Amino acid sequence: MSSKWRPWEFLKHHPTVINKDERQLTVVYCTDPFVERILRNKIDFEKWEGQPALVMSGSDLSVDWIEENLQTLSLFGGDQPICVLQGTAFSAPVKRHLIENSISDGSRHLVFFLNKDKKFFNEWQKKAKEAVFLEVEEPKFWEFGKLLTYFADEMSMRLPMDVHNYLSEAVPHKSGDMINTLKTLRLSFGTGPYKLEDIKSVIPATRLDQFRLASLLGQKRMVDFYKELEKLILDQDEQIGFYNFLQGHLLKLMDPSYIEKKARPSKYDKEIDSHSKLWKRDELQRAIRNFSKLEIEAKKKNPFIKEKIRELLLQEL
């Protein structure tokens, strides 16, 4: 049996992750380590079995261990539950063995958490007909507001709509950033109630909204653009990706003729066409060079890249 759920839907259908009434193999595929931890905490082996589960890392499993302890009855302590984390750390022989052999005889709960290698998960799922395979799907980019609510609910926090909307716009759409933000709010203000002005005082806007910034750039609102860019806290990959994106954006402004070939231009395409009329070719070329230089500095991990951005800002004042 297999099923797929978004994080905020998963526990509605599997509130305890595993079916406590059926001792079987359950394999959970979840690429988000923060969501995985929430799911792991829902499994209370001691309450059901009267003994703690044996928790292992996938790197500790070997074919010999599996044969001796999972495929040979009662040599390993009978019905003790087993939970395997970092399942994708399996060696190739272990993966092959799991796919080709049954490891569940109905005597105990076996739970495996996989965080990558979807191909292995799919192959194992096709072969292990007696097991339960559960997949936690990654949210679409427009669903991160729901993910924020999910994390807040798990932390017993109720966010007013204005606070939720602000955090959705201000905080990077990464689980780690969301969790750290919520922890900061709990340390600062407890479980609420929360006021927007208080939240803004401790949670500055750090999320990169590249299309909004590209729109400011396209409108030639250079002072606003550089002021917002200076405030952002971006890691190296985000910086490199963003400066590369801006160069591509400016090249489209330089030659928006590609839009004519589209049957249904997007909102972004229409904005490109409109903004292209505001720029001269030499202005675009200069701007492209500036962002090319910033991309190079980001690749070099230049600790003074903020100063480079401030220099560009000063040139526009």
Side-chain angles (χ1 to χ4, degrees):
M1 183 185 79
S2 64
S3 57
K4 298 180 182 181
W5 308 102
R6 293 284 197 272
W8 50 90
E9 297 172 332
F10 186 98
L11 291 174
K12 294 178 182 178
H13 300 274
H14 305 279
T16 53
V17 183
I18 64 176
N19 183 349
K20 66 179 182 179
D21 297 322
E22 293 188 31
R23 298 184 179 187
Q24 58 191 347
L25 169 64
T26 302
V27 183
V28 181
Y29 182 84
C30 180
T31 59
D32 189 316
F34 297 94
V35 175
E36 180 188 306
R37 180 172 289 275
I38 289 173
L39 300 184
R40 281 161 40 195
N41 289 340
K42 300 294 182 182
I43 304 176
D44 189 351
F45 284 114
E46 289 193 56
K47 190 173 183 180
W48 297 343
E49 305 293 347
Q51 58 182 321
L54 172 66
V55 180
M56 304 180 63
S57 169
S59 60
D60 293 331
L61 260 65
S62 66
V63 172
D64 288 343
W65 189 93
I66 293 171
E67 289 178 339
E68 292 174 7
N69 298 287
L70 299 183
Q71 293 177 263
T72 303
L73 188 62
S74 298
L75 289 185
F76 181 72
D79 60 356
Q80 183 182 25
I82 297 176
C83 183
V84 179
L85 308 179
Q86 299 176 333
T88 42
F90 297 145
S91 65
V94 166
K95 289 182 181 179
R96 186 166 56 252
H97 189 84
L98 290 172
I99 291 172
E100 295 176 352
N101 298 273
S102 174
I103 62 170
S104 176
D105 60 6
S107 65
R108 73 175 93 219
H109 288 292
L110 299 177
V111 186
F112 285 68
F113 282 93
L114 311 184
N115 50 30
K116 57 183 178 179
D117 199 344
K118 185 69 178 300
K119 181 180 178 182
F120 166 59
F121 175 78
N122 289 338
E123 291 179 355
W124 194 7
Q125 177 177 295
K126 290 177 183 178
K127 295 290 186 178
K129 302 298 184 182
E130 79 287 356
V132 175
F133 286 80
L134 305 174
E135 180 178 349
V136 183
E137 294 185 298
E138 293 184 4
K140 303 297 183 184
F141 72 88
W142 63 83
E143 295 179 319
F144 278 93
K146 293 182 179 180
L147 185 62
L148 175 61
T149 299
Y150 168 72
F151 286 137
D153 288 345
E154 288 298 322
M155 296 173 69
S156 300
M157 300 170 67
R158 295 293 179 266
L159 304 178
M161 185 59 68
D162 58 346
V163 171
H164 181 278
N165 291 341
Y166 171 73
L167 295 178
S168 294
E169 292 296 325
V171 179
H173 287 174
K174 297 179 180 178
S175 294
D177 292 287
M178 290 183 178
I179 293 292
N180 288 334
T181 295
L182 293 172
K183 286 181 177 178
T184 298
L185 294 188
R186 287 201 64 163
L187 286 172
S188 301
F189 310 111
T191 56
Y194 305 108
K195 295 181 179 179
L196 182 59
E197 58 269 27
D198 294 333
I199 301 303
K200 288 184 175 180
S201 69
V202 297
I203 307 295
T206 57
R207 176 176 170 251
L208 170 62
D209 186 340
Q210 62 181 23
F211 288 102
R212 190 175 66 80
L213 283 170
S215 181
L216 289 177
L217 178 62
Q219 296 172 65
K220 297 185 76 172
R221 293 170 56 185
M222 306 305 288
V223 173
D224 292 335
F225 170 82
Y226 281 119
K227 281 184 176 180
E228 292 214 18
L229 181 59
E230 183 187 10
K231 294 177 184 176
L232 291 175
I233 301 174
L234 307 176
D235 62 31
Q236 184 188 26
D237 290 339
E238 288 173 325
Q239 291 183 62
I240 294 171
F242 181 52
Y243 298 137
N244 185 268
F245 163 76
L246 289 178
Q247 293 170 66
H249 180 76
L250 292 169
L251 287 171
K252 290 177 181 177
L253 291 177
M254 187 179 294
D255 181 15
S257 60
Y258 76 94
I259 300 173
E260 299 172 4
K261 303 174 184 177
K262 290 193 170 186
R264 298 179 61 184
S266 66
K267 179 181 177 182
Y268 175 67
D269 295 326
K270 293 175 181 177
E271 196 170 79
I272 288 284
D273 187 49
S274 173
H275 293 170
S276 66
K277 300 176 176 62
L278 304 176
W279 290 80
K280 295 179 181 178
R281 189 175 185 84
D282 63 319
E283 292 175 330
L284 288 167
Q285 290 174 334
R286 183 167 61 253
I288 290 172
R289 285 196 298 271
N290 287 337
F291 293 120
S292 175
K293 291 177 182 178
L294 287 176
E295 181 182 358
I296 292 171
E297 295 302 320
K299 289 179 178 178
K300 290 161 54 177
K301 298 184 179 181
N302 186 339
F304 303 108
I305 197 166
K306 288 283 188 181
E307 280 68 21
K308 301 287 184 182
I309 295 172
R310 292 190 188 104
E311 289 175 8
L312 294 171
L313 171 60
L314 289 173
Q315 293 174 17
E316 301 293 341
L317 293 175

